[in-house]
């Protein structure tokens, strides 16, 4: 049996990836309002700051900062996943159950990384914002609607053209 160890740093800042079990699903973007409400509801009961976030069809990436003295991000993830699942099942989304009878919408675990310093924080925020381009969902970061990138632009932290625009030389695209 694998022993998972989480770095429970009170007041820490963390990068997370949470993924749906069915990687071909689009449930997160098709049910964006209930997902947002799940985050809001948990944040009201157990405050934390979402420093950056992107919602993709089958997974999401986010940076959170917990309040001083608080290290319970696992409880927050349990509550977010549970609230979202209950809401979308009530709305009619067909979700399989596992052998224990639990809904199996989400992968059981999530990826967590403790942010070490300002450079690490910036690297992960950039990764979050660029992710829809990386996955081929859009050509420009600004074109993906489910991202904190737009908040960063409104606050003057980033410009709408951040990370460039698609290459349009002779109809050829360069890069990765």
């Amino acid at each position: 049996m694998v022993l998972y160890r989480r770095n429970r740093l009170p007041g820490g800042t963390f990068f997370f990836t949470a993924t749906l079990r069915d990687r071909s699903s689009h449930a997160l973007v098709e049910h964006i309002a209930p997902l947002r409400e799940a985050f809001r509801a948990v944040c009201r009961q157990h405050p934390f700051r979402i420093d950056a976030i992107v919602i993709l069809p089958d997974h999401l990436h986010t940076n959170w900062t917990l309040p001083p003295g608080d290290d319970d991000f696992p409880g927050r993830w349990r509550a977010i996943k549970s609230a979202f699942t209950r809401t979308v099942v009530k709305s009619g989304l067909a979700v399989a159950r596992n052998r224990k009878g639990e809904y199996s919408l989400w992968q059981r675990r999530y990826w967590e990384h403790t942010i070490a310093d300002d450079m690490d924080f910036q690297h992960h925020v950039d990764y979050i914002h660029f992710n829809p381009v990386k996955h081929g969902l859009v050509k420009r970061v600004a074109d993906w609607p489910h991202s904190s990138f737009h908040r960063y632009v409104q606050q003057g932290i980033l410009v709408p053209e951040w990370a460039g625009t698609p290459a349009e030389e002779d109809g050829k695209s360069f890069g990765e």
Side-chain angles (χ1 to χ4, degrees):
M1 178 173 169
V2 177
L3 178 62
Y4 289 93
R5 294 179 188 203
R6 301 284 185 192
N7 188 19
R8 303 284 296 262
L9 178 66
T13 299
F14 303 89
F15 168 82
F16 300 102
T17 300
T19 306
L20 296 180
R21 185 173 297 273
D22 177 1
R23 295 303 303 259
S24 67
S25 175
H26 291 150
L28 297 180
V29 294
E30 289 172 355
H31 301 278
I32 194 75
L35 182 61
R36 286 182 175 141
E37 183 49 38
F39 270 90
R40 285 185 193 112
V42 171
C43 198
R44 281 191 299 270
Q45 289 196 317
H46 306 282
F48 64 99
R49 185 177 70 231
I50 298 174
D51 300 307
I53 191 166
V54 66
I55 310 299
L56 301 171
D58 66 333
H59 69 286
L60 63 87
H61 299 289
T62 185
N63 273 11
W64 294 357
T65 299
L66 298 179
D70 188 340
D71 69 355
D72 188 23
F73 59 81
R76 287 170 172 87
W77 273 118
R78 246 185 330 275
I80 289 166
K81 288 178 169 185
S82 178
F84 176 71
T85 301
R86 280 192 313 272
T87 302
V88 297
V89 166
K90 273 185 183 177
S91 76
L93 182 68
V95 178
R97 292 180 183 256
N98 64 21
R99 289 189 312 253
K100 296 179 183 178
E102 304 163 330
Y103 289 111
S104 56
L105 179 63
W106 295 92
Q107 287 185 358
R108 279 185 104 43
R109 308 226 188 276
Y110 49 86
W111 172 256
E112 162 255 326
H113 165 77
T114 305
I115 300 296
D117 55 29
D118 290 342
M119 185 178 287
D120 192 27
F121 178 85
Q122 190 59 54
H123 169 77
H124 283 86
V125 169
D126 291 348
Y127 179 86
I128 288 166
H129 290 155
F130 194 73
N131 212 253
V133 175
K134 175 186 169 204
H135 286 283
L137 298 168
V138 292
K139 292 192 184 293
R140 296 177 333 121
V141 172
D143 294 338
W144 189 251
H146 312 299
S147 173
S148 59
F149 171 76
H150 303 287
R151 177 173 36 115
Y152 277 59
V153 169
Q154 287 175 339
Q155 294 174 347
I157 299 168
L158 294 174
V159 296
E161 299 80 21
W162 178 83
T165 58
E168 297 176 347
E169 259 183 59
D170 299 325
K172 297 178 184 172
S173 180
F174 299 96
E176 289 186 24

